[in-house]
Amino acid sequence: MKKQLSAALLTSLLVAAPFANANLSVNVGAINVNPTNSSSPIDQNNALGLSADSNTQLGITFDYAYTDNIVFELVAATPFSHTVNGEGGLKGAEIADVKHLPPTLLAQYHFFTKDSAFRPFVGLGLNYTVFFDEQPSAALKATLGTNDVKLDLDSSFGLALQVGFNYKLNETWGLHAMVSKMDINTDATVYANGAKALTSDVKLDPIVAMFGVKYNF
């Protein structure tokens, strides 16, 4: 965890340095990804499904003020970890552990004037999610009758909607809060002994919420 925090902070400094004299601000805080947990059928069988739990990580977002009201935001975070559980006939069974990174670029419209302490905003953008370090559970291996089990989740590309606000404490520091709805769908494939064993269209479509501090350069 310390290595992840150090890497995230170093990345923020490297990205922010060239823009130190620009209209740039950085938001740092807790960010939570909470999948909607709508069950995704396995092998088109609606009696068997998958869902994922929520996870909170360190969030870092970069805001570039193109005008007083138009802001571009890049959302980043340390890797999220989720436990994938069975639903329906598989309810109660742990299927796998997966990690993902969901960088998101949004165009925001900020209300009120730039001198206002409280400025709500709305945003629309694109999300790209890459999955990695997929680890099948012991229960899944036992069900398939082999330890040679591999889980593969495809990357996802979709829309993101956002609402939030910034509150200025002084010219340098402030508070930042946002809630986003992201379109994240992935095709999951389980291989046993090198052969395709199970498939599922996993619909995460999470609510992403963040609260933290804002630093204005």
Side-chain angles (χ1 to χ4, degrees):
M1 184 62 180
K2 290 183 178 180
K3 290 183 179 180
Q4 292 179 343
L5 293 177
S6 299
L9 291 174
L10 178 59
T11 300
S12 68
L13 292 174
L14 292 175
V15 173
F19 300 98
N21 295 320
N23 297 321
L24 184 79
S25 59
V26 177
N27 309 301
V28 180
I31 187 168
N32 176 267
V33 171
N34 187 17
T36 56
N37 279 338
S38 57
S39 180
S40 304
I42 297 177
D43 286 343
Q44 307 304 315
N45 184 348
N46 290 321
L48 303 175
L50 300 175
S51 65
D53 63 356
S54 65
N55 187 241
T56 300
Q57 292 291 331
L58 174 69
I60 303 175
T61 69
F62 304 93
D63 293 353
Y64 175 73
Y66 182 70
T67 69
D68 289 346
N69 299 97
I70 303 298
V71 174
F72 295 104
E73 180 173 82
L74 175 64
V75 180
T78 51
F80 292 95
S81 299
H82 297 280
T83 297
V84 179
N85 297 300
E87 296 292 337
L90 295 175
K91 193 171 182 63
E94 183 177 317
I95 304 300
D97 291 313
V98 300
K99 294 182 179 180
H100 79 274
L101 283 171
T104 306
L105 182 63
L106 301 115
Q108 301 172 336
Y109 182 83
H110 289 239
F111 298 92
F112 308 149
T113 66
K114 66 177 182 179
D115 296 324
S116 301
F118 177 73
R119 297 197 72 187
F121 60 82
V122 294
L124 174 65
L126 296 173
N127 163 264
Y128 177 75
T129 299
V130 57
F131 296 89
F132 61 98
D133 197 20
E134 301 99 328
Q135 298 293 329
S137 69
L140 180 60
K141 293 178 181 179
T143 299
L144 295 175
T146 177
N147 286 322
D148 184 10
V149 177
K150 178 184 176 183
L151 173 64
D152 181 67
L153 278 72
D154 292 343
S155 298
S156 169
F157 188 78
L159 292 175
L161 301 175
Q162 183 188 62
V163 296
F165 70 86
N166 293 310
Y167 186 82
K168 183 165 62 175
L169 299 175
N170 53 46
E171 293 303 315
T172 303
W173 294 97
L175 300 176
H176 173 79
M178 69 84 169
V179 177
S180 298
K181 174 68 173 179
M182 296 186 181
D183 177 23
I184 301 179
N185 297 328
T186 178
D187 290 326
T189 305
V190 176
Y191 297 90
N193 296 321
K196 185 184 296 185
L198 302 169
T199 62
S200 179
D201 178 17
V202 183
K203 302 180 185 299
L204 297 176
D205 296 342
I207 300 295
V208 179
M210 177 178 174
F211 183 78
V213 296
K214 172 180 284 291
Y215 181 83
N216 298 295
F217 289 92

